[in-house]
Structures are given as structure tokens and as C-alpha cells.
Amino acid sequence: MYDQEETQLLDLLAERVGIAAEYYDIQGSRHIASAETKRGILAAMGFSTDSREALARELTLLDEAPWKSPCDPVMVIQQGEAEAHWRFRLSCEGTDEQKLRIAWDLHDETGAVIHRGEAGPGLVPQDVKYVAGGRHVQFAIPVPRSLVPGYYDVAASAKGARASAEGSLRLIVAPPHCYVPDAFRRGG
């Protein structure tokens, strides 16, 4: 999948993990990150960068990583956000997803279950990807719209046919805007 030159793969991997290719300092001088700097930072982050093949392998691992976990670790939404969905992924062969049920509990900050839901059977995958020779499917589950700002935990499990998985997710609901003191609202 990654057939670019080694320097292009190095630049792509650095960009994917958040290493800035360039920046401007306080005096306005532009600084460009060298290949040596990118390799050093990537190595410090645990990536293998010693060859074109190693870079391609690291990029493939980054692509596949989300598919190996049922849920993303964290999801941040804004309160009242329309059509927010969390994702659930699992290995699923053939048409097993037609028999699949995904059950979930939503816990508030005290640990109390405030929402409980189930989706399926007859779910339609949002996305399908082949990872390490296996078929993985991803489903989008709607987030309840009535949530107030705070931290929530989603515990989910999928069962059906030959497929099953369990996952969890930290859901953060942010307010629509930061607190504004009355004096500022009055133009102070």
C-alpha cells in the first residue's frame, strides 16, 4: 500500500503522529525539521525508521491499530451536537453482522447507569477493512442527545453468530462555549 520513496514515507509518518514539518519562532524565523530530526523524534516515540520497509510497516500498523480495538479510547463531543455517533469495531466474517447485537451501558461520573441501549440484529456496517487477513466491520452507534457536560463511560458488548467483542470508551461532553463572566457579557 505504501510504495512511496523513503523520504516521503518519513514525512508521512512524522505528519501522522503530529510532528510539525516546520514552525516559526518568536522572531518570525522559519525552521524546517530535517529528516534526521524527524527520525530522532520518531525513534524516541518507539517507531522504527531505519529503512523504507520499516517506515511502510509503521504506517500500516498505524492504519490497522483502530481496527484491533472495539472502541476508540476517548470521544469528545459538544453538548447537543446533532448526529454524534461512537464507533464499535470487531472481526466479523461473511454476513455475521446480520445476526449481531451490540448492547451498551452509559455510566455517569458516579458510575450509575443513565442510559442502556441495544442495536441489531440487521446492522449495516459503516465501514469494512481487512486487517491481518481478517474482515473487520465498524458500526456507528448514536450518542444520546440529552447528555449534560461531563465525563461518561460506555461499556459495550457485541454478540451474534461467530462474532463477539467487548469494549469501553470514555465519552466527554463539552459545553457549547466556555463560561463568560457577567461583566464580560455586559461589555466590561
Side-chain angles (χ1 to χ4, degrees):
M1 177 169 166
Y2 291 101
D3 56 2
Q4 297 97 321
E5 296 291 322
E6 184 172 345
T7 56
Q8 292 172 311
L9 293 177
L10 178 65
D11 291 343
L12 182 57
L13 180 58
E15 179 185 333
R16 292 268 310 271
V17 300
I19 299 171
E22 63 180 65
Y23 71 94
Y24 290 88
D25 65 22
I26 196 164
Q27 281 84 29
S29 298
R30 181 177 176 215
H31 299 270
I32 299 173
S34 68
E36 181 181 353
T37 298
K38 290 176 185 176
R39 282 185 200 278
I41 295 170
L42 288 165
M45 296 171 73
F47 291 100
S48 177
T49 63
D50 57 347
S51 69
R52 186 201 155 295
E53 292 74 24
L55 291 164
R57 190 172 42 255
E58 295 290 2
L59 285 162
T60 300
L61 288 171
L62 277 178
D63 292 342
E64 293 177 351
W67 291 90
K68 294 178 180 178
S69 177
C71 300
D72 296 326
V74 177
M75 178 181 181
V76 180
I77 64 170
Q78 189 176 64
Q79 181 183 16
E81 184 176 316
E83 303 301 320
H85 292 80
W86 57 276
R87 294 183 292 274
F88 192 89
R89 296 172 292 270
L90 74 157
S91 175
C92 199
E93 298 302 324
T95 58
D96 282 351
E97 70 260 11
Q98 296 302 316
K99 300 172 187 162
L100 193 66
R101 291 180 185 272
I102 300 173
W104 53 272
D105 291 335
L106 181 67
H107 302 259
D108 66 11
E109 294 178 43
T110 69
V113 175
I114 59 167
H115 285 282
R116 191 168 261 145
E118 186 174 293
L123 297 171
V124 177
Q126 177 192 28
D127 200 1
V128 176
K129 184 171 180 85
Y130 287 86
V131 177
R135 181 176 179 268
H136 288 66
V137 293
Q138 175 176 278
F139 300 98
I141 310 295
V143 173
R145 293 185 71 174
S146 60
L147 299 177
V148 298
Y151 297 91
Y152 301 88
D153 291 306
V154 177
S157 64
K159 292 183 176 79
R162 295 167 288 186
S164 68
E166 291 185 6
S168 62
L169 154 79
R170 169 56 60 104
L171 177 64
I172 302 171
V173 179
H177 55 79
C178 293
Y179 170 74
V180 178
D182 288 335
F184 287 173
R185 274 191 264 161
R186 291 190 305 264

